[in-house]
Amino acid sequence: MEPLKSIIAKVATGAILTREEAASAFDSMMSGDATPSQIGGLLIGMRVRGETVEEVTGAASAMRNLMPKVEMQCDPIDITGASDGAMRPLNVSTCASFIVAGAGVPVAKYVNRAATLRSSTADVLASLGVKVDLKPDAIARCVHEAGIGFMFASAGYPAMQRISQIRSVLGTHTMFNLIEALSNPAGVKRQILGVFARKWVQPLAYVLKNLGADSVWVVHGSDGLDEISLAGTSFVAAVEAGTVRTFEVTPEEAGLSRYRADALESCDCESHAIALEKVLDGLPGPFRDAALLNAAAALVVAGRASNLQQGVALGQESLDHGAAAARLTRLIAVSNA
């Protein structure tokens, strides 16, 4: 393992790290062997210069190796976002996850801690009655018995909690905003990954390809959201059969209408929980359509739908027949068992 000091010195010159050097550096940071100054200096140095596909691949590999594993009896999908915390809409991916689970595709959703602050996912779930502080075996049981389970970044080991404090002090997105979303402890091979900037759509698709993903959509909305947007065009890079393909999608392609970007305004956790329950109970509106659009993409990635329109139809069936709501009810029961 190359000494961290020499790696920091290399980054300080503007040089690019190899995949192995990046893995070594992030292993040192996440193992608790680096000082706060070293962690901050390396993260900012890479941020200013710009992280590369090889560096992100190495860093994500290191995080995956250290992450407590959640052993699955199925092949779940993840619907998550690599957010910078700048925008604060309703958490569409959580609602979409229940729709997908209701359509018969198991979901092992990984929630970035930065995203948790943005959308209060843990608080929303807790207010709905879901127990969120679960050990890996309990999470696996939720996915197996309820069809859906939630895992939270930084919950696995103390070193990550210290890094989270350093990231908060830095006040800007860093490599960790990228690699947390790439490090699902369930080892998912299928994923919808929303990113906070269009420039990361294609690179992160190549990172996930390097990491062995089977089927992935990396997405970014033209309104700046880390999800497929109802407001206009969304940009996609798909990992399919070992190749990366880029394209664009619109709400109309899925048979849905456009809404203004502010149609999904932020609200407090209690209101968010109520809004989510109303969608699962059948309430129409922009929140339902946004969740359907992202669920449709997940169903395409999972191989359950051949296109977005078919995915929306399956999602509507999941909602209208009560299957999505039943997944929430079952998750509450299993998580508290």
Side-chain angles (χ1 to χ4, degrees), residues 73-336:
Q73 302 177 32
C74 59
D75 184 17
I77 191 170
D78 187 10
I79 309 170
T80 192
S83 173
D84 63 356
M87 300 190 73
R88 300 176 180 272
L90 288 168
N91 190 328
V92 169
S93 64
T94 297
C95 190
S97 296
F98 285 107
I99 296 172
V100 171
V105 177
V107 177
K109 179 169 169 55
Y110 194 41
V111 183
N112 186 323
R113 276 297 182 190
T116 303
L117 294 174
R118 169 178 62 105
S119 57
S120 303
T121 304
D123 291 335
V124 169
L125 291 171
S127 69
L128 291 168
V130 178
K131 185 175 181 181
V132 296
D133 295 323
L134 298 177
K135 295 184 181 299
D137 58 341
I139 296 169
R141 187 168 62 250
C142 287
V143 177
H144 178 63
E145 297 183 15
I148 185 168
F150 290 81
M151 300 158 285
F152 294 90
S154 303
Y157 41 96
M160 281 303 299
Q161 296 172 9
R162 183 166 66 103
I163 289 174
S164 293
Q165 295 172 350
I166 295 170
R167 292 168 61 191
S168 179
V169 171
L170 293 177
T172 185
H173 71 261
T174 67
M175 177 79 87
F176 279 102
N177 290 87
L178 301 174
I179 65 173
E180 277 188 336
L182 303 173
S183 305
N184 187 304
V188 297
K189 299 292 186 180
R190 304 179 297 176
Q191 187 172 7
I192 297 291
L193 173 62
V195 293
F196 53 82
R198 183 180 178 182
K199 70 175 184 178
W200 282 113
V201 172
Q202 189 172 20
L204 288 192
Y206 279 103
V207 170
L208 284 165
K209 175 180 173 290
N210 290 344
L211 294 171
D214 291 334
S215 181
V216 169
W217 278 20
V218 181
V219 304
H220 174 73
S222 57
D223 53 356
L225 294 181
D226 58 339
E227 60 196 31
I228 303 176
S229 173
L230 279 180
T233 301
S234 294
F235 310 101
V236 183
V239 178
E240 303 167 336
T243 64
V244 174
R245 177 173 68 97
T246 60
F247 54 95
E248 298 177 357
V249 299
T250 64
E252 292 84 0
E253 183 179 336
L256 298 170
S257 300
R258 296 194 184 202
Y259 285 88
R260 288 169 51 93
D262 59 3
L264 299 175
E265 292 182 352
S266 178
C267 57
D268 58 44
C269 294
E270 183 178 356
S271 298
H272 186 166
I274 293 171
L276 192 151
E277 282 189 303
K278 286 182 177 180
V279 169
L280 297 185
D281 288 339
L283 181 70
F287 190 16
R288 172 187 166 105
D289 284 2
L292 279 172
L293 181 55
N294 284 268
L299 292 168
V300 171
V301 167
R304 290 294 301 274
S306 58
N307 55 53
L308 288 177
Q309 284 199 4
Q310 186 179 20
V312 167
L314 290 172
Q316 289 171 333
E317 184 177 325
S318 172
L319 287 171
D320 297 341
H321 291 185
R327 292 305 91 205
L328 172 59
T329 300
R330 185 61 179 151
L331 176 62
I332 294 169
V334 176
S335 67
N336 285 281

Side-chain angles (χ1 to χ4, degrees), residues 24-47:
S24 174
F26 278 78
D27 181 81
S28 295
M29 287 192 284
M30 292 181 288
S31 297
D33 298 332
T35 68
S37 296
Q38 288 176 320
I39 294 171
L42 182 59
L43 292 176
I44 292 299
M46 298 180 79
R47 166 81 166 87

